């Protein structure tokens, strides 16, 4: 029997989830299976392909070199099957294929609302789902086929395995406070401000974290004494409105509040944090017509930004 006929969907689901979680235990929880069942499924897959795909890494596991090679193909295959199942469901309900879009905070409050409104006004029957969250989670969902496309800042190269990036415009990181903050309106601020006020900062692993680290070094700034790590734009807005905090965030996230005067950008040179924002999709993957239409809306709305 050919190898391709012996590989089942359960093999791919278990392998992709173990690769994503880097843990058999966490993968088992996500898949609603027992750890022995997941381990057995991975062993079956390795026996079928004739190669060790995972290996021990301390208390966890990691993919072998052959496992890394197999992952991009396994993820694409799983995405194709899930897309086919969704298509069958859409035929049964007489609606178009669903459009599942991931939106990082950079665009969720700016580009995305208008794009969604335009998509709904088009009359297409495809259901639309917009998902926000941490970039690593959204990238994993895109790679697995749970998202059709993702929009946000360009990730680091090591996070772009089996994905492609299409730049649309550029955004930069800024230091922002509420209009009532003692620093609001000042023409110059000291390098010690982060040690004097609470500071909201992106956590390690977020896309803009390296940019923030760079600009603090460039400006000779003291490390925050009261730092709160968060990628939640809703929490950031609420906390700024109720405190004397400084929020280090992509300008696009708070563009509306800056335009209205509710938030004020501090006079700190952050030109080195300017980075590309655009569409992220799977390599060698043809989007359904509805997803392609939504991508065109995003391209048109960001033209000239």
């Amino acid at each position: 029997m050919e190898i391709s006929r012996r590989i089942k969907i359960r093999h791919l689901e278990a392998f992709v989830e173990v690769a994503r979680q880097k843990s058999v235990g966490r993968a088992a929880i996500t898949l609603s299976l027992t750890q022995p069942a997941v381990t057995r499924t991975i062993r079956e897959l390795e026996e079928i392909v004739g190669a060790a795909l995972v290996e021990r890494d301390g208390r966890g596991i990691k993919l072998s070199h052959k496992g890394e090679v197999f992952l991009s193909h396994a993820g694409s295959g799983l995405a194709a099957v899930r897309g086919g199942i969704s298509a069958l469901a859409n035929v049964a309900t007489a609606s178009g294929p669903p459009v599942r879009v991931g939106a990082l905070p950079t665009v969720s409050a700016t580009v995305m609302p208008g794009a969604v409104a335009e998509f709904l006004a088009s009359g297409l029957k495809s259901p639309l789902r917009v998902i926000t969250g941490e970039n690593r989670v959204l990238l994993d969902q895109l790679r697995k086929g749970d998202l059709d496309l993702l929009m946000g800042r360009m990730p680091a190269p090591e996070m772009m395995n089996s994905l492609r990036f299409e730049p649309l415009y550029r955004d930069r990181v800024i230091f922002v406070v509420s209009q009532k903050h003692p620093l609001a309106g000042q023409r110059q601020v000291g390098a010690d401000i982060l040690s004097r006020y609470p500071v909201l900062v992106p956590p390690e692993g977020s896309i803009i974290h390296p940019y923030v680290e760079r600009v603090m070094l460039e400006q000779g700034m003291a490390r925050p004494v009261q730092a709160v790590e968060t990628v939640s734009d809703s929490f950031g807005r609420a906390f700024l409105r109720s405190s004397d905090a400084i929020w280090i965030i992509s300008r696009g996230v708070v563009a509306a509040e800056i335009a209205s005067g509710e938030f004020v950008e501090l006079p700190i040179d952050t030109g080195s944090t300017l980075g590309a924002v655009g569409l992220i999709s799977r390599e060698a993957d043809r989007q359904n017509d509805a997803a392609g239409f939504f991508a065109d809306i995003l391209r048109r709305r960001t033209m000239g930004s």
Side-chain angles (χ1 to χ4, degrees), residues 196-217:
R196 291 160 44 199
Y197 301 98
V199 184
L200 300 182
V201 296
E204 187 174 355
S206 63
I207 290 179
I208 66 171
H209 177 79
Y211 294 92
V212 173
E213 290 289 306
R214 178 193 305 168
V215 79
M216 287 196 297
L217 286 173

Side-chain angles (χ1 to χ4, degrees), residues 124-137:
L124 288 180
K125 295 182 180 180
S126 294
L128 180 63
R129 181 183 303 166
V130 178
I131 300 97
T132 60
E134 294 185 17
N135 60 297
R136 287 185 182 276
V137 174

Side-chain angles (χ1 to χ4, degrees), residues 93-263:
T93 58
S95 66
V99 179
R100 303 157 302 171
V101 184
L104 294 174
T106 306
V107 300
S108 61
T110 52
V111 180
M112 201 58 64
V116 169
E118 183 174 341
F119 182 85
L120 296 176
S122 70
L124 288 180
K125 295 182 180 180
S126 294
L128 180 63
R129 181 183 303 166
V130 178
I131 300 97
T132 60
E134 294 185 17
N135 60 297
R136 287 185 182 276
V137 174
L138 294 180
L139 288 169
D140 281 339
Q141 291 178 337
L142 175 63
R143 197 173 283 110
K144 289 170 56 182
D146 294 333
L147 293 176
D148 296 301
L149 57 94
L150 172 61
M151 186 170 183
R153 267 198 178 238
M154 182 174 69
E158 61 268 19
M159 300 175 68
M160 288 296 292
N161 179 40
S162 74
L163 302 176
R164 62 171 177 247
F165 179 80
E166 177 188 347
L168 297 180
Y169 67 98
R170 294 166 73 81
D171 194 11
R172 63 185 174 87
V173 172
I174 63 172
F175 293 65
V176 66
V177 296
S178 74
Q179 61 179 344
K180 299 177 182 179
H181 196 283
L183 297 176
Q186 292 194 17
R187 295 184 178 180
Q188 188 173 1
V189 296
D192 65 338
I193 59 171
L194 301 187
S195 62
R196 291 160 44 199
Y197 301 98
V199 184
L200 300 182
V201 296
E204 187 174 355
S206 63
I207 290 179
I208 66 171
H209 177 79
Y211 294 92
V212 173
E213 290 289 306
R214 178 193 305 168
V215 79
M216 287 196 297
L217 286 173
E218 290 174 347
Q219 297 293 325
M221 289 182 161
R223 307 296 300 180
V225 174
Q226 293 180 296
V228 179
E229 296 186 353
T230 183
V231 293
S232 171
D233 53 324
S234 57
F235 170 74
R237 292 188 183 91
F239 194 67
L240 236 61
R241 289 167 181 147
S242 61
S243 71
D244 281 343
I246 298 172
W247 190 9
I248 309 176
I249 190 66
S250 292
R251 194 182 192 282
V253 176
V254 290
E257 287 80 7
I258 291 175
S260 70
E262 182 182 9
F263 292 169

